[in-house]
Amino acid sequence: EVQLVQSGAEVKKPGESLKISCKASGYSFTSYWIGWVRQMPGKGLEWMGIIFPSDSDTIYSPSFQGQVTISADKSINTAYLQWSSLKASDTAMYYCATFSLVGATSRFDYWGQGTLVTVSS
Amino acid sequence: SYELTQPPSVSVSPGQPASITCSGDKLGKKYICWYHQKAGQSPVLVIYQDNKRPSGIPERFSGSNSGNTATLTISGTQAMDEADYYCQAWDSNTVVFGGGTKLTVL
């Protein structure tokens, strides 16, 4: 059974750094992309980026390029999303999900439970 | 950048069919997938590659894609189908989500 288990909720102050995680199990971690998706309170889904854990090839959404860093450690089947300096506007639920990309077809197959990040002074 | 447009809301009576549209330039030349997200839960894939259902998704969910519009259809809508629905495509090395449609079953 494919499972993506995300790290717990975080409460941070503006300017602080943060790294959240997504641990995968039940499939070959290095064979599929993993993506990150933001959902601000009461809003829709926003794609942040994807990473291919086998070689760490990463594609960022232009909206998030330079704002976050996506990484993966294939030795422990875990993907990460990190910020160096949080802003109040980073307050959101963050989801990781496996991403299948074959030619022109794409989909997020399996989703984590989400990590709620709250940034407040 | 590529954009996908969905109606903000759709209402349907129980047992009736519901259709949710997703529009984009020449969308029929791309592959679309659909997710639903119930309140307080993670999104779930319900249709991929325009019209394929993942294992475990009921047959009442179907999809089509032609011209500039993709459509998710739920035949015999049930109260449990009340959720937000999002379309998604891949364009120029970018994942694109529609803005989402709130389906209300009343």
Side-chain angles (χ1 to χ4, degrees), chain B residues 16-93:
Chain B
Q16 296 301 303
S19 292
I20 299 172
T21 58
C22 174
S23 300
D25 185 47
K26 298 183 179 64
L27 184 57
K29 295 188 180 297
K30 305 181 189 301
Y31 285 107
I32 203 86
C33 57
W34 292 90
Y35 307 89
H36 72 192
Q37 184 181 31
K38 298 182 181 180
Q41 297 184 21
S42 300
V44 172
L45 179 70
V46 295
I47 292 289
Y48 68 97
Q49 209 166 312
D50 291 346
N51 54 23
K52 294 179 170 45
R53 278 179 294 104
S55 173
I57 299 300
E59 290 184 10
R60 63 180 182 275
F61 288 89
S62 63
S64 63
N65 184 17
S66 178
N68 294 322
T69 304
T71 303
L72 173 70
T73 302
I74 310 172
S75 62
T77 309
Q78 299 183 11
M80 69 171 65
D81 298 328
E82 186 161 286
D84 293 325
Y85 288 80
Y86 297 91
C87 57
Q88 178 252 302
W90 175 254
D91 176 80
S92 301
N93 263 15

Side-chain angles (χ1 to χ4, degrees), chain A residues 17-38:
Chain A
S17 62
L18 176 64
K19 190 173 188 177
I20 62 175
S21 66
C22 170
K23 183 165 178 61
S25 62
Y27 73 101
S28 173
F29 183 66
T30 53
S31 297
Y32 294 91
W33 296 82
I34 281 199
W36 288 94
V37 175
R38 183 175 79 173

